[in-house]
Amino acid sequence: MSKQSTTVEVKILDKDYLVACPAEEQEALIRAARHLDSKMREIRTSGKVFGTERIAVMAALNMTHELLERDTMSDVTSTLLKAMDSKLENALGEPSNH
Protein backbone atom coordinates (compact mmCIF):
# COMPACT_ATOMS: atom_id res chain seq x y z
CA MET A 1 0.00 0.00 0.00
CA SER A 2 1.61 3.26 -1.12
CA LYS A 3 1.04 6.49 0.72
CA GLN A 4 -0.42 9.28 -1.41
CA SER A 5 1.65 12.43 -1.10
CA THR A 6 0.12 15.87 -0.99
CA THR A 7 1.63 19.35 -0.99
CA VAL A 8 0.89 21.55 1.98
CA GLU A 9 1.54 25.27 2.21
CA VAL A 10 2.82 26.42 5.60
CA LYS A 11 3.89 29.88 6.75
CA ILE A 12 6.94 30.22 8.97
CA LEU A 13 8.12 33.64 10.07
CA ASP A 14 6.02 35.38 7.38
CA LYS A 15 7.40 33.21 4.55
CA ASP A 16 5.39 30.60 2.66
CA TYR A 17 6.79 27.10 2.11
CA LEU A 18 5.39 24.21 0.07
CA VAL A 19 6.07 20.87 1.72
CA ALA A 20 5.22 17.41 0.39
CA CYS A 21 3.92 14.90 2.91
CA PRO A 22 1.56 11.92 3.10
CA ALA A 23 -2.06 13.06 3.24
CA GLU A 24 -2.60 11.41 6.65
CA GLU A 25 0.28 13.45 8.13
CA GLN A 26 -0.91 16.84 6.86
CA GLU A 27 -2.35 17.99 10.20
CA ALA A 28 0.82 16.95 12.06
CA LEU A 29 2.92 18.92 9.57
CA ILE A 30 0.75 22.00 10.04
CA ARG A 31 1.05 21.71 13.86
CA ALA A 32 4.82 21.31 13.56
CA ALA A 33 5.07 24.39 11.33
CA ARG A 34 2.98 26.43 13.78
CA HIS A 35 5.18 25.30 16.66
CA LEU A 36 8.36 26.21 14.75
CA ASP A 37 6.87 29.56 13.74
CA SER A 38 6.03 30.28 17.38
CA LYS A 39 9.54 29.40 18.59
CA MET A 40 11.16 31.49 15.85
CA ARG A 41 8.94 34.47 16.71
CA GLU A 42 9.92 34.20 20.38
CA ILE A 43 13.59 34.30 19.42
CA ARG A 44 13.10 37.19 17.00
CA THR A 45 11.14 39.15 19.62
CA SER A 46 13.95 38.71 22.15
CA GLY A 47 16.09 40.93 19.93
CA LYS A 48 19.23 38.91 20.72
CA VAL A 49 19.44 37.00 17.43
CA PHE A 50 19.31 38.58 13.99
CA GLY A 51 18.72 36.99 10.60
CA THR A 52 16.20 34.35 9.65
CA GLU A 53 18.82 31.62 9.28
CA ARG A 54 20.28 32.26 12.72
CA ILE A 55 16.80 32.41 14.25
CA ALA A 56 15.95 29.06 12.60
CA VAL A 57 19.14 27.46 13.92
CA MET A 58 18.51 28.74 17.45
CA ALA A 59 14.90 27.49 17.32
CA ALA A 60 16.10 24.09 16.11
CA LEU A 61 18.70 23.92 18.89
CA ASN A 62 16.15 24.90 21.54
CA MET A 63 13.57 22.39 20.28
CA THR A 64 16.17 19.62 20.05
CA HIS A 65 17.32 20.37 23.59
CA GLU A 66 13.72 20.17 24.84
CA LEU A 67 13.22 16.85 23.03
CA LEU A 68 16.43 15.35 24.42
CA GLU A 69 15.55 16.53 27.93
CA ARG A 70 12.14 14.89 27.61
CA ASP A 71 13.75 11.63 26.43
CA THR A 72 16.23 11.75 29.32
CA MET A 73 13.42 12.39 31.78
CA SER A 74 11.50 9.43 30.31
CA ASP A 75 14.53 7.16 30.81
CA VAL A 76 15.02 8.39 34.38
CA THR A 77 11.32 8.01 35.16
CA SER A 78 11.29 4.50 33.71
CA THR A 79 14.33 3.49 35.78
CA LEU A 80 12.81 4.94 38.96
CA LEU A 81 9.47 3.22 38.35
CA LYS A 82 11.20 -0.14 37.79
CA ALA A 83 13.20 0.30 41.00
CA MET A 84 10.06 1.23 42.95
CA ASP A 85 8.19 -1.73 41.48
CA SER A 86 11.00 -4.08 42.47
CA LYS A 87 11.10 -2.68 46.02
CA LEU A 88 7.33 -3.00 46.37
CA GLU A 89 7.43 -6.58 45.14
CA ASN A 90 10.22 -7.38 47.62
CA ALA A 91 8.34 -5.71 50.45
CA LEU A 92 5.12 -7.55 49.61
CA GLY A 93 6.92 -10.81 48.97
CA GLU A 94 5.55 -11.10 45.43
CA PRO A 95 7.70 -12.60 42.68
CA SER A 96 8.75 -10.27 39.87
CA ASN A 97 7.56 -11.01 36.35
CA HIS A 98 10.27 -8.82 34.74
Side-chain angles (χ1 to χ4, degrees), residues 7-22:
T7 302
V8 179
E9 183 176 352
V10 295
K11 184 174 276 209
I12 300 170
L13 214 56
D14 303 323
K15 187 170 182 182
D16 294 325
Y17 296 89
L18 294 176
V19 183
C21 76

Side-chain angles (χ1 to χ4, degrees), residues 4-87:
Q4 186 69 19
S5 184
T6 185
T7 302
V8 179
E9 183 176 352
V10 295
K11 184 174 276 209
I12 300 170
L13 214 56
D14 303 323
K15 187 170 182 182
D16 294 325
Y17 296 89
L18 294 176
V19 183
C21 76
E24 63 272 11
E25 294 180 21
Q26 182 175 347
E27 287 303 315
L29 172 64
I30 292 169
R31 282 193 314 272
R34 285 182 187 145
H35 183 67
L36 176 59
D37 180 66
S38 173
K39 293 294 184 182
M40 289 179 69
R41 288 179 184 283
E42 286 175 20
I43 292 167
R44 183 175 69 178
T45 301
S46 77
K48 296 177 183 176
V49 180
F50 300 99
T52 304
E53 184 176 313
R54 288 178 183 264
I55 291 171
V57 169
M58 291 306 298
L61 284 171
N62 289 340
M63 291 166 60
T64 301
H65 175 73
E66 291 169 5
L67 180 63
L68 291 174
E69 285 293 310
R70 187 178 316 144
D71 287 347
T72 299
M73 290 305 294
S74 293
D75 291 344
V76 169
T77 301
S78 177
T79 301
L80 287 172
L81 287 175
K82 285 178 186 176
M84 289 172 58
D85 186 45
S86 177
K87 287 180 180 186

